[in-house]
Amino acid sequence: MSVTSPVSTTAVRATGIWKVFNEGQANEVTALQDINLTVEAGEFISLIGPSGCGKSTLLRVIADLTHPTKGSAEVAGMSAADARQQQRYGMAFQQAALFDWRTVRRNVELPLELQGWSKSARAARAMELLEMVQLADFAGHRPWELSGGMQQRVAIARSLAVDPPLLLMDEPFGALDEMTRERMQNELLRIRQETGKSVIFVTHSIPEAVYLSDRVVVMSPRPGRITDIIDVNLGSRDEDTREAEAFFAGVTAVREALRGRTGGSAARARVGEV
Amino acid sequence: MSGRLRAVWPPVLIALIFLSAWQLLVVVQDIKPFLLPSPSLILGNFFGDFTLMFNAAIYTGTTAILGLMFGTAVGLVLALAAQRFGVVNKLITPLAAGLAAVPIIALTPILNNMFNITSRTPKVIITMIIVFFPVFVNVTRGLIQVQPVQLELMRSMNARPRTVLRQLRIPNAIPFFFTALKIAAPLSVIAALVSEYFGGPQQGLGSRIASSAANTAYGRAWAYVVASIITGLIFYLIVLAVERWAAPWTGRARSA
Ligand SMILES: Nc1ncnc2c1ncn2[C@@H]1O[C@H](COP(=O)(O)OP(=O)(O)OP(=O)(O)O)[C@@H](O)[C@H]1O
Ligand SMILES: [Mg+2]
């Protein structure tokens, strides 16, 4: 292994991660138990599981927003802390978390501003990203003038601003209606196609996980752990995908895995075949 | 424009009806001015002695502005300290509440003795004390009560605490700051005015109200009251205008 080639084909590597809240107290919670997960560069991974199973916690450990009790997370071949400091990931949350005192464009500029980009360079980059999420016309608007879906698109543009190789998304479409949600899913896939990013995507929706992902990571609560990883092979997605045989097979496989039936493997085999 | 007119005429109409009823009551019942002077008497005094009114308002208004400025400055500095150091917050908040609970009526004679009574200083200090509290309490809350997700976002972007303060906490506190100012600005006029009842220079609104009433010039005393109300309103409207200009996002539905 050469020291001069820091380029890694592994986007994220989680090794033996434990997270225990309030350790040693009466309200102790083991949010994560021995999580091992590798995400290859360019891969789209969904985390799915019942509420409280530790999806957000896992994402926050990878983002270095919280420290694991045990184990470690690596992003782009470096420690999670270094990756955060070097802005090797972009993050989007269920709440768009836009700043009301900034225009839409200046919200997208925020990460660039923190990186010390010049005014004109960051304005140009922000406009490029707003074009990508089809909100260029709203650059001068204030966040509250936008619908929930539009706000979420701004948040996604912001997470892409520094062009990080990895996107961490915690239920970004959770607050949207079904129609908007499907449109946003297609948009996210298109953006991912255009940019080649790796994505870790937390969701409660089985169809959403299957539609978007290369692999669906199924988790179970108390203690939070990975119980199953389901490969999805839908090829390039379009509107027909949602009605395709393989899509339903994937949905069934994930649903069964969530119910804790290892019989999911039969359905899983079909996902690959069809 | 027609929208603004529509917003203005109902209170104007109500005021006119109210004043007419008042005038009618005083005339018909022949109420003596020391009980209740008629609006025409008050307004006659107000416009008749307009220069006097204006000068008194300027004097008291200047005290109020000085107190408002210094009180706001102290409130802001302490709020920043309280956000930065939890200890300061725990120390100052009860102290500030205690200070705010001291009635200015009790404090004024004492401060008049401590400082030169003929100067404006004791009155400015009284006003400062009154103004400081709402500013401190509200701004501290605005600096601390930031959406957790926005804090996480800043951390994910590797923002330093100073950047978080400048880009998130301070803008977040601005609506709180204006809420405080909307309370503090008219309050500063009241504080400046009341502090004049305890001696010192005689050119302010408070002194004039007191001396006019003592000289049985009730119409004029009330005219000074009108001048005080107008001064307080002007203070409030200035804050409102500055808020519109400096923080156009306040009062809007917040985005998620
Ligand atoms: N800061 C914290 N302090 C204590 N316990 C916490 C904390 N954060 C999370 N937990 C606990 O850890 C567990 C996992 O929480 P987490 O937010 O990761 O779940 P989740 O899978 O994202 O749930 P949801 O789908 O509802 O968002 C929960 O039991 C929760 O109560
Ligand atoms: Mg969560």
Side-chain angles (χ1 to χ4, degrees):
Chain A
M1 208 181 173
S2 160
V3 278
T4 53
S5 117
V7 181
S8 162
T9 54
T10 304
V12 176
R13 191 194 307 277
T15 322
I17 290 179
W18 289 68
K19 179 71 185 181
V20 183
F21 288 107
N22 311 315
E23 204 169 1
Q25 294 167 39
N27 54 350
E28 181 177 298
V29 180
T30 305
L32 296 174
Q33 173 182 300
D34 194 29
I35 300 288
N36 292 285
L37 179 67
T38 305
V39 181
E40 301 302 334
E43 208 179 6
F44 198 122
I45 295 276
S46 284
L47 300 180
I48 197 165
S51 186
C53 72
K55 305 179 294 290
S56 297
T57 305
L58 178 55
L59 212 62
R60 296 174 73 251
V61 168
I62 294 168
D64 187 43
L65 298 177
T66 185
H67 298 294
T69 309
K70 238 184 346 193
S72 67
E74 254 176 42
V75 174
M78 57 185 95
S79 74
D82 288 345
R84 179 176 64 80
Q85 274 152 34
Q86 295 179 29
Q87 293 289 281
R88 305 312 300 268
Y89 70 81
M91 197 150 187
F93 305 86
Q94 179 167 0
Q95 297 158 282
L98 301 176
F99 291 177
D100 281 340
W101 47 91
R102 286 171 165 257
T103 60
V104 164
R105 177 172 62 81
R106 296 210 56 236
N107 265 285
V108 178
E109 283 181 21
L110 180 63
L112 306 170
E113 213 173 310
L114 300 196
Q115 295 276 73
W117 283 43
S118 79
K119 211 169 174 167
S120 59
R122 62 181 196 244
R125 172 74 180 145
M127 283 317 292
E128 191 183 312
L129 289 157
L130 286 173
E131 298 277 359
M132 182 188 273
V133 297
Q134 290 157 11
L135 283 176
D137 292 345
F138 291 87
H141 286 236
R142 297 277 173 170
W144 71 75
E145 297 169 330
L146 270 54
S147 73
M150 290 156 91
Q151 290 181 14
Q152 206 49 261
R153 267 142 70 192
V154 177
I156 290 171
R158 179 182 60 193
S159 73
L160 290 163
V162 297
D163 200 19
L166 173 68
L167 287 185
L168 301 175
M169 312 182 89
D170 195 347
E171 299 185 48
F173 308 149
L176 306 180
D177 64 90
E178 197 61 29
M179 304 278 287
T180 314
R181 201 169 173 146
E182 292 193 355
R183 243 201 349 266
M184 297 287 292
Q185 290 165 2
N186 288 331
E187 212 154 315
L188 178 59
L189 284 179
R190 175 179 61 78
I191 289 167
R192 185 247 185 165
Q193 194 91 40
E194 285 172 21
T195 58
K197 311 260 178 240
S198 322
V199 185
I200 302 184
F201 187 95
V202 172
T203 178
H204 277 133
S205 158
I206 301 172
E208 181 169 80
V210 172
Y211 186 70
L212 292 174
S213 316
D214 300 317
R215 286 190 293 156
V216 179
V217 175
V218 179
M219 297 178 66
S220 80
R222 275 169 295 274
R225 60 196 186 281
I226 296 177
T227 50
D228 222 330
I229 298 183
I230 289 161
D231 287 298
V232 183
N233 251 319
L234 296 176
S236 79
R237 273 76 163 168
D238 55 34
E239 278 314 308
D240 296 332
T241 309
R242 293 184 199 277
E243 280 151 27
E245 204 61 43
F247 175 70
F248 291 122
V251 168
T252 307
V254 173
R255 183 168 290 132
E256 288 182 357
L258 275 167
R259 285 204 199 113
R261 287 192 11 207
T262 25
S265 55
R268 191 178 332 153
R270 284 199 302 276
V271 188
E273 282 162 19
V274 184
Chain B
M1 202 60 219
S2 75
R4 193 171 296 176
L5 263 178
R6 210 169 301 155
V8 163
W9 74 257
V12 169
L13 187 70
I14 287 175
L16 282 179
I17 291 173
F18 176 74
L19 288 177
S20 311
W22 178 353
Q23 181 77 30
L24 203 68
L25 182 78
V26 171
V27 171
V28 170
Q29 296 289 320
D30 193 22
I31 297 174
K32 296 284 166 275
F34 68 87
L35 274 179
L36 185 67
S38 67
S40 61
L41 180 64
I42 296 170
L43 291 179
N45 268 286
F46 182 80
F47 289 110
D49 288 330
F50 187 77
T51 323
L52 282 178
M53 304 285 145
F54 185 79
N55 289 339
I58 290 290
Y59 180 85
T60 305
T62 305
T63 309
I65 284 180
L66 289 172
L68 191 60
M69 275 175 8
F70 290 126
T72 301
V74 173
L76 288 180
V77 168
L78 288 181
L80 284 169
Q83 187 276 314
R84 181 73 184 74
F85 311 103
V87 195
V88 179
N89 194 4
K90 287 204 189 82
L91 277 175
I92 295 180
T93 305
L95 258 175
L99 202 56
V102 174
I104 42 173
I105 301 186
L107 214 56
T108 312
I110 299 168
L111 283 170
N112 271 341
N113 284 338
M114 281 168 68
F115 297 91
N116 183 359
I117 190 171
T118 59
S119 78
R120 207 193 279 272
T121 314
K123 298 172 182 57
V124 172
I125 292 174
I126 293 291
T127 311
M128 256 179 82
I129 292 171
I130 297 287
V131 162
F132 145 81
F133 188 66
V135 172
F136 169 73
V137 171
N138 275 283
V139 174
T140 304
R141 169 172 291 190
L143 291 172
I144 291 174
Q145 270 186 5
V146 173
Q147 282 181 40
V149 65
Q150 294 184 330
L151 277 178
E152 292 220 311
L153 176 80
M154 290 304 270
R155 182 170 155 84
S156 81
M157 295 185 302
N158 196 30
R160 281 166 235 293
R162 270 189 56 188
T163 314
V164 175
L165 181 68
R166 224 187 43 230
Q167 299 289 358
L168 177 55
R169 292 190 188 278
I170 289 177
N172 188 68
I174 284 176
F176 292 79
F177 173 62
F178 279 108
T179 301
L181 273 193
K182 275 183 255 178
I183 300 166
L187 215 53
S188 72
V189 176
I190 295 174
L193 191 149
V194 170
S195 70
E196 289 169 9
Y197 288 155
F198 298 88
Q202 288 299 302
Q203 61 265 54
L205 290 166
S207 322
R208 296 290 178 164
I209 293 171
S211 61
S212 302
N215 293 328
T216 68
Y218 298 107
R220 184 184 299 166
W222 278 77
Y224 279 116
V225 172
V226 171
S228 311
I229 294 170
I230 292 173
T231 310
L233 263 178
I234 289 173
F235 271 56
Y236 180 79
L237 290 175
I238 289 173
V239 172
L240 221 57
V242 173
E243 180 184 32
R244 287 247 173 107
W245 170 78
W249 69 89
T250 60
R252 296 289 178 162
R254 314 211 86 211
S255 59

